[in-house]
Amino acid sequence: MALSTHRTTTALLRHLTPAISYLRHISTDSTSTITVETSVPFTGHKIDPPSRSVDTTAQELMSFFRDMALMRRMEIAADSLYKAKLIRGFCHLYDGQEAVAVGMEAAITRKDCIITAYRDHCIFLGRGGTLLESFSELMGRKDGCSKGKGGSMHFYKKEGGFYGGHGIVGAQIPLGCGLAFAQKYKNDENVTFTLYGDGAANQGQLFEALNMAALWDLPAILVCENNHYGMGTAEWRAAKSPAYYKRGDYVPGLKVDGMDALAVKQACRFAKEHALTNGPIILEMDTYRYHGHSMSDPGSTYRTRDEISGVRQERDPIERVRKLLLAYDIANEKELKDIEKEARKQVDEAIAKAKESPLPEPSELFTNVYVKGYGVESFGADRKEIRAALP
Amino acid sequence: MAAIVQGIGATAAPSASSNKFLLSSLGSSLLEKKRNFFVVRSDGKCYTGLNQQQRRAQNVVTNAVATKEEKASAAVGSKPGHELLLFEALREGLEEEMDRDPCVCVMGEDVGHYGGSYKVTKGLAEKYGDLRVLDTPIAENSFTGMGIGAAMTGLRPIVEGMNMGFLLLAFNQISNNCGMLHYTSGGQFKIPIVIRGPGGVGRQLGAEHSQRLESYFQSIPGIQMVACSTAYNAKGLMKAAIRSDNPVILFEHVLLYNLKERIPDEEYVLNLEEAEMVRPGEHVTILTYSRMRYHVMQAAKTLVNKGYDPEVIDIRSLKPFDLYTIGNSVKKTHRVLIVEECMRTGGIGASLTAAINENFHDYLDAPIVCLSSQDVPTPYAGTLEEWTVVQPAQIVAAVEQLCL
């Protein structure tokens, strides 16, 4: 393979890398096309899968690495914050699945809509959310994206086209079809990516929504993030047919290696073109989460630690991009380490700033219940203390 | 005065207009709301949004049984108006709003080509096309969810449940995504959706098709609920619900669709949070909504003959309650009778009883009496079905008991 021969050449050059770094083969800002082959081909259901060769640029690969490193660091930091009891309630972490978020972003614009379930921190980041908004929301502070009133499962970013953040399994799927319906109604040539998990794939509302989307040719792309476990239940124990990309029956489907950001990008670009002309399509992202379902789940009672570390060694999305960057000599080890350190620094700064952010005012209890607001003084539940003069 | 403030605070009525009177007397600054449409209030007074104090002047009519004639004649312009049936009034309101705003669309089962199972959307699909008047498959959970998703982007969908009881399947979407989304997103998304449909006990429709969902939905934070009862308020409330930026559930009644009434020709929009004074009186306040209004008015005829003077208020707004109108009435009559079609347990009447007791306890001379439907599934047999709901004779007996 072309890749391996290139790698040996670069290995030889590595000793001289510090000296000749300014004579790099490809600079990090280069936008000239690199073509990479995905390691796993796409499998199609009632559709011809796209080609395995993905066009990318050095700039894009670097952005993949940077974004995924930031996302990984954010999730690990959230883990420690949860254990320190600064984040309460439910916290569902996305580490291991970052490739889906960054690959999807690379293929679409901010005018396209994304809606997902509760494992939403990284997708929020991809849609333009900041670390400060993210950590503040997790800690329930005023500077959070939902003013501290939503929590981990309710991240939203209207300007970025991110529609949440939903706690009830599967309920976001009809909402996603509604977003696609509105796009069709307004004729604005955008699509909606509706993400759900392998657990939600058994919900009736998925099939109801698929039927309607297919009936009216809505530009909806339903993405099943198959991390093989619905909380503690493995997919083969919950679904008679774990081929989620085929379960649309009359709706075409594509199975994608969800740990490969470039494969995800290719699939999403292909799906967007399809949805705009032919109606809905299902993408099944074969991915994996390292943490348990949420912070209250150790994640090792229903799967072995060997399995987790095996996937981490062989399929980790960040490692893949790192290998690509090194192979194409776009960056060297030290630069990549620096990027990871930078990510860590950004995350630490954001946490420190978020910790300083104040808790919401008591009057915030009554704001945003209705759009117009109450326009009057309102008492709290005990009728004595909390009084709010509402907007 | 303290009681009024607390009352408003307890239910937190969102209407700015009903509270401006209080705020002005408390010396706070007023919020000036610009109105650019013609509003006719329930007691027949009309205004174009200028003097707030004028709106609250009491207009006590001593001898009216039903003020329908009053309303029509008090309408500015003294046009005779036009006569139509309640479902036609709903359709008129819907059509006017769809003409006015291209973002308004309808979705539901058989609303398009079939024209609506109660003909509320008849002719609209031919006029506006299949996308704006969308025939959905029988999947309440998802098409309600779809409507909510569309509303998040700025469309103003009207979701029709063929029968209110079917919307129980969409309860998750209505509760979590419709009611709570504005709050959990920190105000980023608003859901200007209208969910409407007929409910209530009909003519021997059986238990599952005679459900009253207002009691199930009343605890959901973030939604508004209104019940229409006449062609006049049906059209006004439909238009107000569509224009509102909050999710509104509009409860219609199966047996009221063929009520004929004369409504004004001019465009009018009613206040979603306001109750309607049907018959002013002195002895007892009877609070009711939807179909029971007619049972109450029938009982009122008997009561007037017997020498009583009941004040009948159609509360219209089921969430939040218009405690301002209700409170003023309680202060006048000191006796309250609630007549509703909901179940006794956990119904609208139960909440209203609690709210009135909490806020106007000092003004009550007798305990509040609440007449509701029996806590049974609605039977099919005609006589049994009759006894499930409140009948005029029971209302008369209750008033006599209350006014002893």
Side-chain angles (χ1 to χ4, degrees):
Chain A
M1 223 166 76
L3 207 57
S4 50
T5 50
H6 206 116
R7 207 176 281 151
T8 44
T9 348
T10 6
L12 292 169
L13 287 170
R14 203 157 286 156
H15 305 291
L16 306 167
T17 314
I20 60 165
S21 57
Y22 60 92
L23 292 175
R24 178 155 295 128
H25 180 214
I26 302 171
S27 89
T28 54
D29 293 328
S30 162
T31 47
S32 59
T33 316
I34 307 172
T35 308
V36 182
E37 255 199 18
T38 65
S39 45
V40 174
F42 299 101
T43 330
H45 166 71
K46 296 209 172 149
I47 195 167
D48 286 325
S51 139
R52 275 171 81 172
S53 307
V54 187
D55 288 334
T56 182
T57 67
Q59 202 177 36
E60 188 172 63
L61 287 174
M62 285 302 288
S63 77
F64 279 0
F65 187 83
R66 213 171 287 124
D67 293 339
M68 288 203 279
L70 200 65
M71 289 175 182
R72 178 68 61 93
R73 200 39 35 208
M74 177 179 76
E75 297 294 73
I76 308 278
D79 179 313
S80 344
L81 285 176
Y82 192 89
K83 289 179 177 145
K85 290 214 189 316
L86 281 164
I87 302 177
R88 313 305 301 274
F90 294 122
C91 190
H92 306 87
L93 299 176
Y94 201 71
D95 54 329
Q97 296 181 218
E98 298 92 349
V100 177
V102 297
M104 194 180 288
E105 277 308 316
I108 60 177
T109 69
R110 287 283 160 81
K111 292 241 169 71
D112 296 309
C113 306
I114 298 187
I115 187 169
T116 182
Y118 42 76
R119 215 175 287 278
D120 54 353
H121 308 164
C122 298
I123 303 205
F124 170 73
L125 226 56
R127 289 262 95 184
T130 64
L131 285 171
L132 176 63
E133 283 176 339
S134 178
F135 284 115
S136 306
E137 187 60 39
L138 286 172
M139 294 198 269
R141 306 299 171 96
K142 213 160 67 162
D143 291 327
C145 52
S146 304
K147 299 187 194 165
K149 298 199 282 195
S152 163
M153 295 188 283
H154 299 285
F155 279 26
Y156 302 88
K157 190 131 190 113
K158 188 169 184 189
E159 311 83 62
F162 181 52
Y163 288 79
H166 296 274
I168 302 295
V169 172
Q172 78 278 12
I173 304 172
L175 289 186
C177 285
L179 299 174
F181 175 79
Q183 284 168 335
K184 187 183 176 85
Y185 192 96
K186 294 181 197 162
N187 266 323
D188 58 8
E189 299 292 306
N190 294 321
V191 294
T192 300
F193 282 84
T194 308
L195 279 65
Y196 59 96
D198 47 297
N202 299 315
Q203 275 266 322
Q205 33 192 342
L206 166 64
F207 298 96
E208 292 178 14
L210 259 179
N211 178 37
M212 292 195 286
L215 192 59
W216 302 316
D217 284 329
L218 301 182
I221 297 157
L222 286 99
V223 180
C224 177
E225 291 180 293
N226 182 7
N227 54 26
H228 307 285
Y229 294 94
M231 199 162 97
T233 308
E235 58 177 348
W236 57 269
R237 290 182 62 224
K240 181 73 178 170
S241 157
Y244 298 107
Y245 69 107
K246 284 191 187 162
R247 284 175 42 167
D249 186 25
Y250 41 82
V251 173
L254 202 63
K255 190 173 160 108
V256 184
D257 178 7
M259 304 295 257
D260 183 349
L262 291 170
V264 172
K265 176 189 154 189
Q266 177 89 317
C268 291
R269 208 171 37 78
F270 175 77
K272 178 169 175 176
E273 277 162 25
H274 183 274
L276 283 174
T277 45
N278 296 333
I281 179 171
I282 299 181
L283 297 179
E284 181 187 335
M285 303 284 174
D286 186 355
T287 180
Y288 200 85
R289 54 167 163 83
Y290 299 141
H291 270 89
H293 164 74
S294 72
M295 285 307 297
S296 10
D297 171 28
S300 48
T301 52
Y302 47 87
R303 50 186 192 172
T304 60
R305 291 195 202 277
D306 289 337
E307 183 189 299
I308 306 173
S309 49
V311 175
R312 204 189 274 272
Q313 264 178 341
E314 286 167 35
R315 297 177 66 202
D316 186 71
I318 303 182
E319 286 312 305
R320 274 197 206 199
V321 176
R322 189 200 301 269
K323 283 187 193 136
L324 272 177
L325 289 171
L326 294 174
Y328 280 92
D329 199 24
I330 300 171
N332 60 24
E333 289 277 4
K334 182 180 172 304
E335 282 169 353
L336 298 179
K337 274 273 181 301
D338 284 342
I339 292 177
E340 286 179 321
K341 279 208 199 100
E342 176 65 34
R344 190 168 199 151
K345 190 161 101 62
Q346 277 181 1
V347 164
D348 288 338
E349 273 168 13
I351 293 179
K353 201 148 170 235
K355 279 184 186 165
E356 283 167 26
S357 169
L359 286 164
E361 299 286 312
S363 62
E364 283 284 324
L365 182 61
F366 299 107
T367 58
N368 300 131
V369 181
Y370 294 104
V371 175
K372 279 193 296 196
Y374 288 5
V376 75
E377 284 191 319
S378 174
F379 295 91
D382 58 359
R383 299 276 179 270
K384 288 183 193 122
E385 260 104 85
I386 304 169
R387 289 182 60 164
L390 299 164
Chain B
M1 191 49 83
I4 302 177
V5 173
Q6 209 177 13
I8 300 298
T11 57
S15 161
S17 69
S18 65
N19 293 305
K20 279 189 191 123
F21 179 72
L22 303 172
L23 288 178
S24 63
S25 53
L26 292 172
S28 320
S29 59
L30 294 173
L31 312 144
E32 194 57 58
K33 215 166 38 166
K34 284 206 170 55
R35 293 202 194 231
N36 53 9
F37 48 82
F38 181 74
V39 179
V40 180
R41 272 208 34 213
S42 54
D43 62 1
K45 284 181 80 66
C46 319
Y47 62 92
T48 44
L50 294 173
N51 195 328
Q52 337 289 24
Q53 260 74 2
Q54 266 175 8
R55 280 187 230 155
R56 280 289 145 196
Q58 289 290 32
N59 186 24
V60 180
V61 178
T62 48
N63 61 350
V65 173
T67 51
K68 276 189 263 189
E69 299 92 3
E70 221 90 352
K71 258 187 242 119
S73 59
V76 163
S78 358
K79 279 190 195 164
H82 55 284
E83 225 177 35
L84 39 54
L85 305 175
L86 196 145
F87 73 87
E88 289 170 348
L90 285 167
R91 188 195 320 143
E92 223 178 67
L94 192 48
E95 207 171 332
E96 282 174 19
E97 288 305 305
M98 287 181 85
D99 275 333
R100 183 179 171 269
D101 185 354
C103 287
V104 178
C105 57
V106 184
M107 49 183 80
E109 292 155 11
D110 279 326
V111 294
H113 295 190
Y114 192 82
S117 50
Y118 292 94
K119 296 184 283 223
V120 174
T121 49
K122 191 164 183 197
L124 295 182
E126 286 84 50
K127 187 171 172 190
Y128 298 106
D130 280 344
L131 197 64
R132 268 189 98 179
V133 186
L134 191 66
D135 276 323
T136 62
I138 306 176
E140 280 80 7
N141 194 4
S142 343
F143 70 71
T144 310
M146 208 174 85
I148 295 166
M152 279 170 97
T153 64
L155 284 193
R156 305 188 88 94
I158 295 145
V159 172
E160 172 173 316
M162 191 183 275
N163 186 296
M164 267 287 163
F166 307 161
L167 289 180
L168 284 174
L169 287 159
F171 204 109
N172 176 47
Q173 296 289 349
I174 296 172
S175 170
N176 293 328
N177 294 331
C178 177
M180 301 195 197
L181 210 56
H182 187 63
Y183 190 85
T184 55
S185 65
Q188 285 181 69
F189 296 108
K190 58 176 197 204
I191 318 286
I193 195 175
V194 177
I195 298 173
R196 49 161 291 267
V201 176
R203 298 251 180 266
Q204 297 187 255
L205 297 176
E208 287 164 331
H209 292 73
S210 313
Q211 298 192 74
R212 288 127 277 169
L213 293 201
E214 44 278 16
S215 48
Y216 303 160
F217 288 139
Q218 65 175 321
S219 306
I220 300 176
I223 58 163
Q224 281 189 256
M225 304 201 307
V226 283
C228 62
S229 46
T230 64
Y232 178 76
N233 64 31
K235 179 176 173 187
L237 290 175
M238 169 72 98
K239 288 172 72 90
I242 296 173
R243 292 193 198 187
S244 167
D245 279 339
N246 295 316
V248 180
I249 305 186
L250 173 60
F251 291 92
E252 300 152 14
H253 198 286
V254 274
L255 293 181
L256 297 183
Y257 277 132
N258 290 322
L259 276 182
K260 191 181 277 206
E261 192 184 339
R262 187 162 279 272
I263 66 168
D265 286 328
E266 307 85 42
E267 193 188 17
Y268 66 95
V269 182
L270 294 176
N271 188 337
L272 281 177
E273 299 100 17
E274 200 169 4
E276 186 177 325
M277 179 70 70
V278 183
R279 182 194 186 283
E282 296 287 324
H283 291 161
V284 60
T285 300
I286 306 183
L287 302 171
T288 181
Y289 64 92
S290 195
R291 182 185 163 221
M292 287 295 115
R293 168 190 173 132
Y294 296 94
H295 281 206
V296 167
M297 290 317 292
Q298 207 179 328
K301 276 198 197 124
T302 317
L303 286 168
V304 165
N305 287 340
K306 291 192 176 186
Y308 295 96
D309 189 17
E311 177 156 294
V312 181
I313 296 180
D314 181 343
I315 60 174
R316 261 181 12 198
S317 172
L318 304 178
K319 185 180 168 82
F321 294 130
D322 181 4
L323 281 186
Y324 183 79
T325 310
I326 295 172
N328 282 344
S329 177
V330 172
K331 284 178 197 170
K332 192 168 58 167
T333 64
H334 310 298
R335 290 177 168 78
V336 180
L337 171 68
I338 301 174
V339 180
E340 54 159 2
E341 203 175 320
C342 237
M343 311 287 212
R344 185 71 187 84
T345 308
I348 296 286
S351 299
L352 194 50
T353 305
I356 299 174
N357 269 326
E358 245 172 25
N359 297 294
F360 306 115
H361 186 259
D362 294 331
Y363 295 93
L364 289 171
D365 282 347
I368 300 176
V369 177
C370 183
L371 296 177
S372 330
S373 297
Q374 306 305 317
D375 280 322
V376 294
T378 313
Y380 167 73
T383 45
L384 291 181
E385 187 188 61
E386 217 178 274
W387 285 104
T388 323
V389 294
V390 180
Q391 298 297 332
Q394 292 168 295
I395 303 172
V396 172
V399 170
E400 287 178 332
Q401 187 80 7
L402 201 50
C403 292
L404 269 177

